[in-house]
Amino acid sequence: ASPLKERLAQLIPKRREEVKKFRAEHGSDVLGEVTLNQIYGGARGVPALLWEGSVLDPNEGIRFRNLTVKECQEKLPSATHGKQPLPESMFWLLVTGEVPTANEVQALSAEWAARAQLPKFVEDLIDNCPNTLHPMAQLSLAITALENDSVFSKAYHSGVSKADYWQFTYEDSMDLIAKIVPIAGRIYRNLYRDGVVAPIQPDKDYGYNLANVLGFSNNEEFVELLRLYLSIHSDHEGGNVSAHTGHLVGSALSSPFLSMAASLNGLAGPLHGLANQEVLDFLLKMKESVGDDYSDETLEKYLWNILDNGQIVPGYGHAVLRKTDPRYLAQRDFALEHLPEDPMFKLVSRLYEVVPRVLTKHGKTKNPFPNVDSHSGVLLQYYGLKEQTFYTVLFGISRTLGVMAQLIWDRALGLPIERPKSFSTEVLKKRIEKA
Ligand code: CMX
């Protein structure tokens, strides 16, 4: 039996009752209005989605089930000799709203390791991808292919009761979280190494196993970095492209595999998760150009050149955040502790001082401060994971935790198919004239 599934089975009936009562009492209460600019402006700020795992405050940053990044680092169980939260403990928190015990976390590690076996045809599918196909496209293909063994799809077609959908969503989610690790390992080892993937260790945790399939598990510091990375990239409330896409596609009762593949395709965009790859490209080019000259004058000149060319500074700005992302700060703390003298970290540090000033003067972006993607690349390259085209895959593994946690609740609460209303410009004009 799965302790997490047992806990969920206790929590779901209570939550269903709570939501039923809440809706009965307040179902017609008004939470906001929508302006024409919001319709043309990416629905920014429109309150329209349910998302249980996390809520984003523009100034404070993310809270996972009401815990800040720092509180998660303090409260969530870590590895025996580590101090970063184990991604298992983050998943438990996102799903249940509760901090798990060390035993509960260990049971999750063991369950994920036990479910990690890949179907042979999925391995062949990855092996047959040309090495020119971006790792995110390979990841999405492989996750889509896991549909072959979806217990949710089978249960749906065999006519199970809607009240039980969550159980099958749970089973697929657990398989997906488990299998995405050897999938990522295979993509990495095929593209950048010898194609040999280390087996999943049944007695090790998720972060260790990810490091191991990539070929980096002999460095405990890197394993700790991955545990931190996987925990903090997991969830960023529901409106971002990857989270919203997973939720939307799942609302059509597409399986967790099909929903997550769609989510990953959104994460692969340069304005979203691909920004971590773009940041390292940007830093390496900048380093080549400025050498060791990190003076204000040289860095500012370089940045203005980019902006004057109509390009963006990757890793800076955010649709919701208006201050420095606490996930950036958690990674900065890690760097200050483990690689304070690394020249690339020093460049990132200097940019943290210079870019906000330049972007503020430039006057366009609503948030001149760094986001999560601004920092991850320099940490990974320090430990030898230098292939930046792979970075978004790591983000994708982590984001799977948040999207799956919500998908389980979507089905537990019986949420319907999503279908917001759209209008043409002509119809909008008519409605505005009438108003
Ligand atoms: N560099 C230059 N210009 C920027 C900018 C940046 N880093 N961030 C925003 N702007 C510009 C926008 O392009 C926009 O210009 P136009 O008016 O010409 O279209 C203007 O400032 C206003 O944008 P905004 O309201 O501040 O930002 P949005 O909510 O539209 O977009 C985001 C948010 C993240 C896409 C944007 O800040 C950006 O492109 N940043 C760089 C890419 C990045 O780091 N993405 C990762 C975000 C985190 C994640 O999802 O992983």
Side-chain angles (χ1 to χ4, degrees):
S2 168
L4 179 57
K5 196 172 183 185
E6 282 169 19
R7 185 70 192 121
L8 260 172
Q10 294 164 343
L11 292 170
I12 285 171
K14 287 186 207 148
R15 192 65 162 182
R16 280 178 176 157
E17 274 313 303
E18 189 187 340
V19 170
K20 198 171 152 194
K21 186 161 173 272
F22 187 39
R23 290 184 63 178
E25 286 170 7
H26 296 285
S28 303
D29 289 14
V30 176
L31 287 168
E33 52 186 15
V34 181
T35 65
L36 191 66
N37 274 341
Q38 285 173 312
I39 290 178
Y40 283 96
R44 210 64 92 255
V46 176
L49 295 170
L50 178 75
W51 200 264
E52 304 285 13
S54 61
V55 179
L56 180 58
D57 179 88
N59 294 311
E60 183 194 50
I62 195 70
R63 275 181 184 261
F64 304 99
R65 292 286 191 164
N66 211 28
L67 298 182
T68 63
V69 172
K70 266 211 152 57
E71 286 165 351
C72 286
Q73 286 175 303
E74 283 157 20
K75 292 187 178 163
L76 292 178
S78 48
T80 313
H81 300 294
K83 50 184 188 182
Q84 300 300 341
L86 288 164
E88 290 88 332
S89 60
M90 177 58 84
F91 185 65
W92 188 289
L93 175 72
L94 291 172
V95 172
T96 64
E98 297 165 347
V99 172
T101 64
N103 279 344
E104 288 167 338
V105 169
Q106 235 174 33
L108 260 188
S109 301
E111 193 172 345
W112 287 347
R115 288 174 181 254
Q117 182 74 36
L118 294 182
K120 171 82 170 50
F121 91 96
V122 174
E123 292 182 347
D124 293 345
L125 184 71
I126 300 167
D127 294 349
N128 282 323
C129 287
N131 61 12
T132 45
L133 186 61
H134 192 278
M136 280 303 280
Q138 297 197 27
L139 182 68
S140 157
L141 266 179
I143 299 298
T144 300
L146 293 177
E147 171 68 8
N148 196 47
D149 293 320
S150 168
V151 294
F152 178 86
S153 294
K154 286 188 186 71
Y156 180 82
H157 289 109
S158 74
V160 297
S161 154
K162 190 176 173 186
D164 294 331
Y165 284 172
W166 76 266
Q167 308 215 29
F168 302 97
T169 301
Y170 177 88
E171 295 299 330
D172 278 355
S173 297
M174 295 289 276
D175 277 342
L176 205 173
I177 292 167
K179 292 180 200 302
I180 198 172
V181 167
I183 287 174
R186 200 166 192 93
I187 295 170
Y188 184 80
R189 302 292 304 182
N190 278 353
L191 287 181
Y192 315 112
R193 296 289 192 275
D194 56 4
V196 180
V197 194
I200 294 289
Q201 307 282 306
D203 56 342
K204 294 284 204 237
D205 66 87
Y206 195 69
Y208 177 93
N209 268 319
L210 177 58
N212 196 38
V213 294
L214 298 175
F216 293 85
S217 59
N218 54 4
N219 188 333
E220 184 52 32
E221 229 172 79
F222 178 79
V223 177
E224 271 290 276
L225 172 65
L226 278 189
R227 291 174 184 135
L228 170 68
Y229 185 105
L230 292 172
S231 296
I232 61 178
H233 286 75
S234 58
D235 211 32
H236 215 228
E237 73 170 33
N240 64 76
V241 169
S242 53
H244 185 193
T245 305
H247 180 69
L248 169 69
V249 175
S251 84
L253 300 185
S254 304
S255 78
F257 302 111
L258 299 179
S259 305
M260 195 62 221
S263 165
L264 291 167
N265 287 341
L267 191 71
L271 294 188
H272 190 19
L274 201 76
N276 60 9
Q277 165 183 329
E278 307 269 290
V279 166
L280 204 71
D281 283 339
F282 156 83
L283 291 172
L284 291 171
K285 271 194 208 127
M286 182 184 259
K287 176 79 184 143
E288 210 179 285
S289 163
V290 305
D292 297 329
D293 178 5
Y294 292 178
S295 66
D296 281 7
E297 199 193 348
T298 303
L299 297 183
E300 282 184 19
K301 196 170 152 215
Y302 191 91
L303 292 164
W304 277 113
N305 223 340
I306 290 178
L307 292 169
D308 290 340
N309 270 333
Q311 289 166 290
I312 54 163
V313 180
Y316 279 77
H318 199 272
V320 180
L321 281 168
R322 293 297 172 257
K323 291 270 161 63
T324 298
D325 191 335
R327 301 172 300 171
Y328 172 93
L329 293 173
Q331 296 180 86
R332 178 174 162 78
D333 287 345
F334 189 95
L336 286 169
E337 183 177 346
H338 297 292
L339 45 137
E341 298 308 324
D342 178 59
M344 290 301 282
F345 167 58
K346 284 190 165 164
L347 179 58
V348 167
S349 249
R350 283 290 292 130
L351 289 172
Y352 184 29
E353 294 165 354
V354 176
V355 175
R357 225 168 36 225
V358 171
L359 283 178
T360 303
K361 201 163 169 202
H362 184 239
K364 268 188 160 187
T365 170
K366 294 190 186 70
N367 172 25
F369 300 109
N371 61 55
V372 69
D373 296 315
S374 195
H375 214 306
S376 46
V378 283
L379 299 175
L380 297 167
Q381 61 91 42
Y382 176 78
Y383 293 104
L385 208 164
K386 290 179 188 287
E387 300 83 2
Q388 65 264 35
T389 43
F390 190 75
Y391 289 173
T392 310
V393 171
L394 299 177
F395 196 157
I397 296 171
S398 175
R399 186 47 54 94
T400 300
L401 302 177
V403 173
M404 290 302 107
Q406 182 59 36
L407 207 64
I408 293 166
W409 277 105
D410 289 347
R411 299 292 75 79
L413 296 175
L415 299 192
I417 189 164
E418 255 191 44
R419 184 48 170 102
K421 183 77 189 90
S422 65
F423 299 100
S424 63
T425 296
E426 284 66 35
V427 174
L428 284 171
K429 279 184 180 163
K430 278 192 199 130
R431 287 176 75 105
I432 297 260
E433 273 165 23
K434 265 199 222 148

